[in-house]
Amino acid sequence: MKASRIAAAAAAAGTAVLALSAPAFAHVSVQPEGTAAKGSYAVVDFKVPNERDNASTTKLEVTFPTDHPLASVMPQPLEGWTVKVTKSKLAKPLEMHGEKIDEAVTKVTWTADGKGVEPGFFQKFPLSVGALPEDTDQLVFKAIQTYSNDEVVRWIEVPQEGQEEPENPAPVLQLSAAEEDGHHDASAAEDASDDKSGTEQTAAASSDSTGSSSDTTARVLGVVGIVVGAAGVAYGVFAGRRRSDA
């Protein structure tokens, strides 16, 4: 009886944990592929989960910050989606690579050509962006998610430090410290290549370590099996002798 009560309490606690953690995964969010260093270029992914059981996500609109405009925004082709990049004139021109830029991207819109993001799935929408500003630690992107049943969810509430997360938080991209060498594009590509090589080497080392560990485990189990078998034989012989003496 006591064991069943403990099991029931554990199950209830697990359900509560899942219920509390679920909303954190349901928000539209943005994360860099690698790093998003100040003053450099980066590839970022807007992750869009489908929160509905009876409708698909068919449209995503992402509004770019006007206080820190980005002159270069390039979407990656995404099968099943049409993408539109909207630019607007800047009140204060930017200077990039010695040239003045008088317009910047203010919105990117993805529209599904087919079923979109169906219930139980999520979709990543990648963009190459830059140059990232050097005078802020984060960029806030406001997003609007539209479902096939015409429901609209506005992820536009800006999270405030020290306060609880709002119900519909806007995606926030955290920026890392600026790169020191100044060759942002080249170093980013080089770092990505190095990271890939490092990952492959780590995976190989992990594989060797796993194989070695598996061999050791197999040997130990083999020895244990032999000992147990020998003990069984000895017990059988001893039992047989006892029956013979009786």
Side-chain angles (χ1 to χ4, degrees), residues 15-81:
T15 302
V17 170
L18 288 175
L20 290 172
S21 61
F25 296 98
H27 301 158
V28 172
S29 59
V30 59
Q31 292 293 335
E33 293 184 8
T35 60
K38 298 177 182 180
S40 69
Y41 289 75
V43 175
V44 299
D45 294 324
F46 287 89
K47 183 179 179 182
V48 181
N50 193 320
E51 296 183 292
R52 303 294 178 260
D53 296 327
N54 57 354
S56 298
T57 295
T58 56
K59 188 177 182 181
L60 175 68
E61 300 171 76
V62 175
T63 300
F64 282 64
T66 55
D67 55 343
H68 294 97
L70 299 175
S72 175
V73 176
M74 292 186 294
Q76 178 177 318
L78 200 59
E79 186 176 357
W81 295 82

Side-chain angles (χ1 to χ4, degrees), residues 95-126:
E95 186 170 335
M96 292 182 60
H97 307 297
E99 296 183 5
K100 286 189 175 181
I101 307 296
D102 61 357
E103 64 176 12
V105 173
T106 51
K107 182 188 290 187
V108 177
T109 304
W110 290 268
T111 305
D113 296 329
K115 295 181 179 180
V117 186
E118 298 184 78
F121 293 86
F122 74 90
Q123 178 71 56
K124 288 184 179 181
F125 297 85

Side-chain angles (χ1 to χ4, degrees), residues 223-241 243:
V223 172
V224 171
I226 292 173
V227 173
V228 172
V233 172
Y235 177 78
V237 172
F238 177 72
R241 288 180 179 177
R243 284 196 295 269

Side-chain angles (χ1 to χ4, degrees), residues 23-236:
F25 296 98
H27 301 158
V28 172
S29 59
V30 59
Q31 292 293 335
E33 293 184 8
T35 60
K38 298 177 182 180
S40 69
Y41 289 75
V43 175
V44 299
D45 294 324
F46 287 89
K47 183 179 179 182
V48 181
N50 193 320
E51 296 183 292
R52 303 294 178 260
D53 296 327
N54 57 354
S56 298
T57 295
T58 56
K59 188 177 182 181
L60 175 68
E61 300 171 76
V62 175
T63 300
F64 282 64
T66 55
D67 55 343
H68 294 97
L70 299 175
S72 175
V73 176
M74 292 186 294
Q76 178 177 318
L78 200 59
E79 186 176 357
W81 295 82
T82 298
V83 59
K84 178 183 177 182
V85 178
T86 302
K87 293 185 177 182
S88 300
K89 290 288 184 179
L90 296 175
K92 182 179 179 181
L94 297 174
E95 186 170 335
M96 292 182 60
H97 307 297
E99 296 183 5
K100 286 189 175 181
I101 307 296
D102 61 357
E103 64 176 12
V105 173
T106 51
K107 182 188 290 187
V108 177
T109 304
W110 290 268
T111 305
D113 296 329
K115 295 181 179 180
V117 186
E118 298 184 78
F121 293 86
F122 74 90
Q123 178 71 56
K124 288 184 179 181
F125 297 85
L127 291 174
S128 173
V129 298
L132 297 173
E134 299 184 34
D135 57 350
T136 184
D137 294 327
Q138 63 180 28
L139 291 177
V140 178
F141 300 87
K142 296 184 178 182
I144 299 177
Q145 181 179 11
T146 303
Y147 287 90
S148 55
N149 59 2
D150 295 329
E151 179 186 1
V152 175
V153 181
R154 301 178 184 277
W155 305 98
I156 60 174
E157 299 177 64
V158 181
Q160 301 296 328
E161 186 176 354
Q163 297 183 13
E164 292 186 2
E165 186 178 62
E167 184 176 354
N168 294 311
V172 178
L173 177 66
Q174 300 295 335
L175 304 181
S176 59
E179 297 177 4
E180 297 180 358
D181 58 12
H183 300 290
H184 305 304
D185 292 338
S187 63
E190 191 173 327
D191 288 345
S193 176
D194 291 344
D195 288 344
K196 184 176 179 181
S197 298
T199 301
E200 291 174 351
Q201 292 173 4
T202 301
S206 176
S207 176
D208 292 343
S209 176
T210 302
S212 176
S213 177
S214 299
D215 291 344
T216 301
T217 301
R219 290 171 185 171
V220 172
L221 291 177
V223 172
V224 171
I226 292 173
V227 173
V228 172
V233 172
Y235 177 78

